[in-house]
Amino acid sequence: MAANNYITTENSSLLLKLRATQTAEDFISSCQTTPVPHRVVIGAAIAGPDLNHPSVLVVQRSANERSYPNQWEIPGGHVDPGETIVQAVKREVFEETALVTTEVVSEFEGFYYWSTKYEESESDDSLDKHPSICTFQINFCVRVEDVSDIKLNPDEHQKHAWCTLENIDEFMMTTTMKKVVSDALAALARL
């Protein structure tokens, strides 16, 4: 479920200024949507090197992941307590790809999802002990210093590739992630 239908270039610029100082706690407390999320995560659509032919870096989840093993996605993750949303974007890009973000270019449509919160010591047998939590993913297009020096965190991802509108169907993604990648490509094409 999306939070909004379309973020204009003007709105995105204003949102980026806000996200530079906004923490996840601030986002949740100011949320005027329903449902109000319990937590906030970010997605980072890393722009490819050829600005005339938009592409986005996608990474394949580890085969050992509990959720969506071997599925392709954009890098992303949680916003740490006290960390601004833009700081989280830069940190997650570096942690997952070893790439240094030079610019958070724009924000594009986010989405809600429901999941069970895992504790690191839990086994799959304990899933019924934790209620489902609502998460909102805020998505951004970013540029990085050197796209040729990608080093994945092997605990999280096993492969990377450049996704375009022409090859998007070659990647096994959830329906939601396919929309995220398509939206990112459209946002990059508008720049």
Side-chain angles (χ1 to χ4, degrees):
M1 175 187 304
N4 55 301
N5 293 327
Y6 183 69
I7 296 176
T8 65
T9 303
E10 181 180 306
N11 289 347
S12 179
S13 179
L14 293 172
L15 285 171
L16 286 178
K17 288 178 184 174
L18 174 64
R19 304 293 189 235
T21 61
Q22 189 177 43
T23 64
E25 295 83 6
D26 296 335
F27 178 88
I28 291 167
S29 67
S30 67
C31 199
Q32 296 180 6
T33 61
T34 302
V36 173
H38 297 103
R39 68 182 191 138
V40 176
V41 298
I42 60 87
I46 299 170
D50 183 354
L51 300 179
N52 294 319
H53 188 77
S55 61
V56 170
L57 181 70
V58 290
V59 289
Q60 187 180 35
R61 292 173 67 87
S62 165
N64 299 322
E65 286 282 346
R66 290 182 192 224
S67 300
Y68 308 108
N70 299 311
Q71 295 276 317
W72 292 84
E73 64 186 358
I74 60 173
H78 67 281
V79 180
D80 286 337
E83 179 180 49
T84 70
I85 292 168
V86 168
Q87 288 170 334
V89 171
K90 294 175 180 181
R91 177 184 51 75
E92 285 291 344
V93 166
F94 186 77
E95 285 179 3
E96 294 193 4
T97 66
L99 297 173
V100 176
T101 301
T102 57
E103 182 182 12
V104 179
V105 179
S106 65
E107 180 175 334
F108 63 97
E109 188 174 354
F111 64 95
Y112 288 98
Y113 64 91
W114 292 87
S115 62
T116 302
K117 183 175 180 178
Y118 290 105
E119 299 297 331
E120 286 192 25
S121 62
E122 288 184 6
S123 69
D124 289 333
D125 297 334
S126 65
L127 290 180
D128 59 348
K129 296 179 184 174
H130 294 285
S132 288
I133 58 170
C134 178
T135 301
F136 187 74
Q137 179 167 316
I138 307 172
N139 293 310
F140 299 90
C141 291
V142 302
R143 291 199 175 104
V144 295
E145 280 182 0
D146 182 4
V147 296
S148 66
D149 200 22
I150 299 166
K151 293 180 184 77
L152 299 179
N153 176 342
D155 293 334
E156 295 187 33
H157 298 103
Q158 56 188 322
K159 294 179 188 175
H160 69 276
W162 292 101
C163 183
T164 64
L165 286 177
E166 293 79 22
N167 72 359
I168 193 168
D169 290 329
E170 296 173 18
F171 300 98
M172 186 172 61
M173 297 181 204
T174 65
T175 303
T176 301
M177 187 53 58
K178 187 172 183 177
K179 181 178 182 330
V180 167
V181 172
S182 295
D183 288 350
L185 290 165
L188 289 170
R190 288 190 298 270
L191 296 177

